[in-house]
Amino acid sequence: MADRFVTVSLDKRDVHCTARLLDDRAPLTCAAVWQALPLTGEVYHAKYARNEIYALFPPFASTEPPLENPTVTPIPGDLCYFSFAGTELGTNAYGYDREVRPGTTVVDLALFYERNNLLLNGDVGWVPGIVWGQVVEGLEAMAEACNDLWRTGAAGETLSFRRHEGERDAGA
């Protein structure tokens, strides 16, 4: 299979980076994400994991991918996939302005932009993520924008994942 790429964007800030899908390491997750693209959601900056931005989505895969290519120590440029039950995120500590109910599932697509991340949550413990992509271009500019998001706020900003220009829209 030829390499596939996605463009990750902070839309309001007009900053983009390009990531290669890790089809060889996380084939089921890559297939699920690829089929669901494009995806855009309100961006959040991590509170616990450190140098992470993410957006939350309703489940989009017919079945949740298994924990393939897992990590609890993502590195700069990692794209990670998390799936949470509504009860795991249904506390005010997370600061979501929407209701996250028990019995629901939420998919979290994240970009890690700097070093020293640890996926340890005070409420639930270790939170392994699936590494499904790696940024290959534009990480420095994206990291600057992520730091700005941390300092000035995320209100009104969206995080988008799209097939990289030039990629076919047909299947995986």
Side-chain angles (χ1 to χ4, degrees):
M1 173 185 289
D3 285 343
R4 297 186 292 177
F5 297 87
V6 294
T7 299
V8 182
S9 305
L10 284 170
D11 300 313
K12 185 176 170 184
R13 286 168 171 80
D14 195 27
V15 177
H16 319 276
C17 61
T18 302
R20 181 178 62 83
L21 272 65
L22 301 177
D23 286 300
D24 57 330
R25 297 181 186 175
L28 299 174
T29 306
C30 288
V33 172
W34 188 258
Q35 289 302 315
L37 295 177
L39 292 165
T40 299
E42 183 178 0
V43 70
Y44 295 93
H45 195 288
K47 193 172 186 179
Y48 299 105
R50 194 159 180 191
N51 301 300
E52 171 195 6
I53 61 168
Y54 62 96
L56 301 174
F57 303 98
F60 47 77
S62 56
T63 9
E64 282 303 308
L67 189 58
E68 50 185 3
N69 199 29
T71 190
V72 292
T73 55
I75 62 172
D78 276 353
L79 298 182
C80 288
Y81 178 108
F82 303 90
S83 180
F84 297 105
T87 54
E88 292 176 285
L89 299 181
T91 169
N92 289 337
Y94 296 101
Y96 300 121
D97 59 359
R98 67 175 113 182
E99 185 179 349
V100 184
R101 298 178 317 278
T104 61
T105 299
V106 177
V107 172
D108 169 332
L109 294 183
L111 164 68
F112 290 85
Y113 63 88
E114 187 50 78
R115 299 173 28 125
N116 299 322
N117 304 294
L118 186 61
L119 301 179
L120 180 60
N121 179 294
D123 293 333
V124 297
W126 295 105
V127 183
I130 300 168
V131 182
W132 61 274
Q134 179 64 49
V135 173
V136 294
E137 184 179 308
L139 184 59
E140 188 175 319
M142 182 60 82
E144 284 181 34
C146 292
N147 276 312
D148 179 65
L149 187 116
W150 172 251
R151 289 189 310 269
T152 64
E157 181 64 88
T158 54
L159 180 62
S160 295
F161 299 84
R162 293 182 173 80
R163 293 180 185 187
H164 189 68
E165 287 184 30
E167 295 291 332
R168 294 189 341 244
D169 284 342

